Coordinates of all heavy atoms in Angstrom, one line a residue:
K153 N 63.9 156.5 183.3 CA 64.1 157.7 184.1 C 64.5 157.3 185.5 O 65.3 157.9 186.2 CB 62.9 158.6 184.0 CG 62.7 159.3 182.7 CD 61.4 160.0 182.6 CE 61.2 160.6 181.2 NZ 60.0 161.3 181.1
S154 N 63.8 156.3 186.1 CA 64.1 155.8 187.4 C 65.5 155.3 187.5 O 66.3 155.5 188.5 CB 63.1 154.7 187.8 OG 61.8 155.3 188.0
L155 N 65.9 154.6 186.5 CA 67.3 154.0 186.4 C 68.3 155.1 186.4 O 69.3 155.1 187.1 CB 67.4 153.1 185.2 CG 68.8 152.4 185.0 CD1 69.0 151.4 186.1 CD2 68.7 151.7 183.6
Y156 N 68.1 156.2 185.6 CA 69.0 157.3 185.6 C 69.1 158.0 186.9 O 70.2 158.4 187.3 CB 68.5 158.3 184.5 CG 68.9 157.9 183.1 CD1 68.5 158.7 182.0 CD2 69.6 156.7 182.8 CE1 68.8 158.3 180.7 CE2 69.9 156.4 181.5 CZ 69.5 157.2 180.5 OH 69.8 156.8 179.2
Q157 N 68.0 158.2 187.6 CA 68.0 158.9 188.9 C 68.7 158.1 190.0 O 69.2 158.7 190.9 CB 66.5 159.2 189.3 CG 65.9 160.2 188.5 CD 64.4 160.4 188.8 OE1 63.8 159.7 189.6 NE2 63.8 161.5 188.3
T158 N 68.7 156.8 189.9 CA 69.4 156.0 190.9 C 70.8 155.5 190.4 O 71.4 154.7 191.1 CB 68.5 154.8 191.2 OG1 68.3 154.0 190.1 CG2 67.2 155.2 191.8
S159 N 71.3 156.0 189.3 CA 72.5 155.5 188.7 C 73.8 156.0 189.4 O 74.8 155.4 189.3 CB 72.6 155.8 187.2 OG 72.8 157.2 187.1
G160 N 73.6 157.1 190.1 CA 74.8 157.7 190.8 C 75.4 158.8 189.9 O 76.3 159.5 190.3
Y161 N 74.9 159.0 188.7 CA 75.3 160.0 187.8 C 74.2 161.1 187.7 O 73.2 160.9 187.0 CB 75.6 159.5 186.4 CG 76.7 158.5 186.4 CD1 76.4 157.1 186.3 CD2 78.0 158.9 186.4 CE1 77.5 156.2 186.3 CE2 79.1 158.0 186.4 CZ 78.8 156.6 186.3 OH 79.8 155.7 186.3
R162 N 74.3 162.1 188.6 CA 73.2 163.1 188.7 C 72.8 163.7 187.3 O 71.7 164.1 187.1 CB 73.6 164.2 189.7 CG 73.4 163.7 191.1 CD 73.7 164.9 192.0 NE 75.1 164.9 192.3 CZ 75.8 165.9 192.7 NH1 75.3 167.1 192.8 NH2 77.1 165.8 193.0
T163 N 73.8 163.9 186.5 CA 73.6 164.6 185.2 C 72.6 163.8 184.3 O 71.9 164.4 183.5 CB 74.9 164.9 184.5 OG1 74.7 165.7 183.4 CG2 75.5 163.6 184.0
L164 N 72.5 162.5 184.5 CA 71.6 161.7 183.7 C 70.1 162.0 184.0 O 69.2 161.8 183.1 CB 71.8 160.2 183.9 CG 73.1 159.7 183.4 CD1 73.2 158.2 183.7 CD2 73.2 159.9 181.9
S165 N 69.8 162.6 185.1 CA 68.4 163.0 185.4 C 67.9 164.1 184.6 O 66.7 164.3 184.4 CB 68.3 163.3 186.9 OG 69.0 164.5 187.2
R166 N 68.8 164.8 183.9 CA 68.5 165.9 183.0 C 68.3 165.5 181.5 O 67.9 166.2 180.7 CB 69.5 167.0 183.0 CG 69.6 167.7 184.4 CD 70.6 168.8 184.3 NE 72.0 168.3 184.3 CZ 73.0 168.8 183.7 NH1 72.9 170.0 183.1 NH2 74.2 168.3 183.6
V167 N 68.6 164.2 181.2 CA 68.4 163.7 179.9 C 67.0 163.5 179.5 O 66.2 163.0 180.3 CB 69.2 162.3 179.8 CG1 68.9 161.6 178.4 CG2 70.7 162.5 179.9
R168 N 66.6 164.0 178.3 CA 65.2 163.8 177.8 C 65.1 162.4 177.2 O 66.0 162.1 176.3 CB 64.9 164.9 176.8 CG 64.6 166.2 177.5 CD 64.2 167.3 176.5 NE 65.1 167.5 175.4 CZ 66.2 168.3 175.4 NH1 66.5 168.8 176.6 NH2 66.9 168.4 174.4
V169 N 64.1 161.6 177.6 CA 63.9 160.3 177.1 C 62.6 160.2 176.4 O 61.6 160.6 176.9 CB 63.9 159.3 178.3 CG1 63.7 157.9 177.8 CG2 65.2 159.3 179.0
D170 N 62.6 159.7 175.1 CA 61.4 159.6 174.4 C 61.4 158.1 173.9 O 62.4 157.6 173.3 CB 61.4 160.5 173.2 CG 60.1 160.4 172.4 OD1 59.0 160.4 173.0 OD2 60.2 160.4 171.1
V171 N 60.3 157.4 174.1 CA 60.1 156.1 173.7 C 59.0 156.0 172.7 O 57.9 156.5 172.9 CB 59.8 155.1 174.9 CG1 59.6 153.7 174.5 CG2 60.9 155.2 176.0
N172 N 59.3 155.3 171.6 CA 58.3 155.2 170.5 C 58.4 153.8 169.9 O 59.4 153.5 169.2 CB 58.4 156.2 169.4 CG 57.3 156.2 168.4 OD1 56.3 155.5 168.6 ND2 57.5 156.9 167.3
Q173 N 57.5 152.9 170.2 CA 57.5 151.5 169.7 C 58.9 150.8 170.0 O 59.5 150.3 169.1 CB 57.1 151.5 168.3 CG 55.8 152.0 168.0 CD 55.4 151.9 166.5 OE1 56.2 151.5 165.7 NE2 54.1 152.2 166.2
D174 N 59.3 150.8 171.2 CA 60.5 150.1 171.6 C 61.8 150.8 171.1 O 62.9 150.2 171.2 CB 60.5 148.6 171.3 CG 59.4 147.9 172.0 OD1 59.0 148.3 173.1 OD2 58.9 146.9 171.5
E175 N 61.7 151.9 170.5 CA 62.9 152.7 170.2 C 63.0 153.9 171.1 O 62.1 154.6 171.4 CB 62.8 153.2 168.7 CG 62.9 152.2 167.7 CD 63.0 152.7 166.3 OE1 63.3 153.9 166.1 OE2 62.8 151.9 165.3
V176 N 64.2 154.0 171.7 CA 64.5 155.0 172.7 C 65.3 156.1 172.1 O 66.4 155.8 171.4 CB 65.2 154.4 173.9 CG1 65.4 155.5 174.9 CG2 64.3 153.3 174.5
S177 N 64.9 157.4 172.2 CA 65.7 158.5 171.8 C 66.2 159.3 173.0 O 65.4 159.6 173.9 CB 64.9 159.4 170.9 OG 64.6 158.8 169.7
L178 N 67.5 159.6 173.1 CA 68.0 160.4 174.2 C 68.4 161.8 173.6 O 69.1 161.8 172.6 CB 69.2 159.7 174.8 CG 69.0 158.3 175.3 CD1 70.4 157.7 175.7 CD2 68.0 158.3 176.4
E179 N 68.1 162.8 174.3 CA 68.4 164.2 173.9 C 68.8 165.0 175.1 O 68.3 164.8 176.2 CB 67.3 164.8 173.2 CG 66.9 164.2 171.9 CD 65.9 164.9 171.1 OE1 65.5 166.0 171.4 OE2 65.4 164.3 170.1
G180 N 69.7 165.9 174.9 CA 70.2 166.8 176.0 C 71.7 166.9 175.9 O 72.3 166.5 175.0
Q181 N 72.2 167.5 177.0 CA 73.7 167.7 177.1 C 74.2 167.0 178.3 O 73.6 166.9 179.4 CB 74.0 169.2 177.2 CG 73.8 169.9 175.9 CD 74.3 171.3 176.1 OE1 74.4 171.9 177.1 NE2 74.8 171.9 174.9
V182 N 75.4 166.4 178.2 CA 76.1 165.7 179.3 C 77.5 166.2 179.3 O 78.0 166.8 178.3 CB 76.1 164.2 179.1 CG1 74.7 163.6 179.3 CG2 76.6 163.8 177.8
P183 N 78.2 166.1 180.5 CA 79.5 166.8 180.6 C 80.7 166.0 179.9 O 81.7 166.6 179.6 CB 79.8 166.8 182.1 CG 78.9 165.8 182.7 CD 77.7 165.7 181.7

Side-chain angles (χ1 to χ4, degrees):
K153 289 176 184 178
S154 293
L155 183 62
Y156 282 178
Q157 290 176 350
T158 60
S159 70
Y161 298 102
R162 282 186 270 155
T163 191
L164 289 179
S165 64
R166 295 183 288 149
V167 170
R168 288 184 303 280
V169 178
D170 182 46
V171 179
N172 187 12
Q173 297 182 354
D174 297 332
E175 290 189 15
V176 179
S177 295
L178 303 176
E179 295 184 12
Q181 290 187 330
V182 292

